[in-house]
Amino acid sequence: EDRRARLHEHFRGSLSQGESKPQQINLRAGKHYTFFADCSRQCNNIDLTLLRDGRTLIADTDPHASPMFGWYARQSGQYTLTITMPHCIDRVCDYSIQVFEGSQKNSSRLIEAHTTCPDCTEAQQTVTAWNTFATNFSGSLYLKGYLKT
């Protein structure tokens, strides 16, 4: 449990099918980061990628609507977080990205909670994972307003 973990960045926006949007984000060396994204009901697939100097560091490009991953920053500086909308049934789909910064690694338990519910719907898996996150990070109930229900 990392009681010092806090919301580091929050991005919201809309994309059409096939569009991507890069967001610049500053990360600090020696910190653990957890990245979450979610999209509206009209979307069933978004991707999230973290880059530095044009090189992909980590990505969640699995075909689902709630990508997430953890990253330990070894270098301080500007990174690029790119959201991509491979599938959107409306003209545009809304998305939300939350980035948390902490001093301890917690992402493995979070991702495990997201992937160990084979009978759950995508939204139930997301709620399970984010509720696990909420119990591990103080102040993280902020996320619950952005979940699909």
Side-chain angles (χ1 to χ4, degrees), residues 65-91:
S66 301
M68 62 179 73
F69 53 77
W71 179 255
Y72 176 74
R74 296 191 191 285
Q75 296 179 341
S76 293
Q78 192 168 43
Y79 291 71
T80 302
L81 187 60
T82 300
I83 187 90
T84 303
M85 186 75 62
H87 184 71
C88 173
I89 60 173
D90 280 350
R91 188 177 62 78

Side-chain angles (χ1 to χ4, degrees), residues 32 55 68 95 102 138 147:
H32 291 272
R55 192 182 89 225
M68 62 179 73
Y95 68 85
S138 63
L147 294 177

Side-chain angles (χ1 to χ4, degrees), residues 127-148:
V127 168
T128 300
W130 287 9
N131 282 341
T132 298
F133 182 78
T135 63
N136 288 319
F137 290 88
S138 63
S140 62
L141 295 177
Y142 180 80
L143 284 172
K144 293 188 179 201
Y146 300 99
L147 294 177
K148 295 187 284 188

Side-chain angles (χ1 to χ4, degrees), residues 1-147:
E1 184 173 334
D2 187 351
R3 297 213 177 267
R4 288 187 233 148
R6 297 287 181 257
L7 181 68
H8 179 68
E9 290 281 352
H10 179 226
F11 304 103
R12 288 177 140 181
S14 299
L15 292 172
S16 297
Q17 183 168 314
E19 286 188 320
S20 294
K21 180 168 184 179
Q23 301 279 354
Q24 299 306 307
I25 184 169
N26 286 310
L27 303 182
R28 296 187 307 158
K31 295 294 184 180
H32 291 272
Y33 293 88
T34 304
F35 298 82
F36 298 95
D38 198 18
C39 61
S40 61
R41 292 182 190 271
Q42 296 77 18
C43 157
N44 64 12
N45 185 10
I46 58 171
D47 297 333
L48 193 60
T49 305
L50 182 65
L51 303 102
R52 176 102 195 244
D53 299 325
R55 192 182 89 225
T56 298
L57 302 173
I58 190 168
D60 184 342
T61 58
D62 290 342
H64 56 80
S66 301
M68 62 179 73
F69 53 77
W71 179 255
Y72 176 74
R74 296 191 191 285
Q75 296 179 341
S76 293
Q78 192 168 43
Y79 291 71
T80 302
L81 187 60
T82 300
I83 187 90
T84 303
M85 186 75 62
H87 184 71
C88 173
I89 60 173
D90 280 350
R91 188 177 62 78
V92 295
C93 288
D94 297 326
Y95 68 85
S96 176
I97 303 169
Q98 295 87 31
V99 181
F100 285 81
E101 178 186 84
S103 298
Q104 299 175 7
K105 182 178 180 181
N106 284 296
S107 60
S108 62
R109 286 178 57 193
L110 175 67
I111 291 167
E112 180 180 303
H114 183 70
T115 59
T116 58
C117 187
D119 296 328
C120 293
T121 65
E122 179 81 26
Q124 288 168 326
Q125 287 178 351
T126 301
V127 168
T128 300
W130 287 9
N131 282 341
T132 298
F133 182 78
T135 63
N136 288 319
F137 290 88
S138 63
S140 62
L141 295 177
Y142 180 80
L143 284 172
K144 293 188 179 201
Y146 300 99
L147 294 177

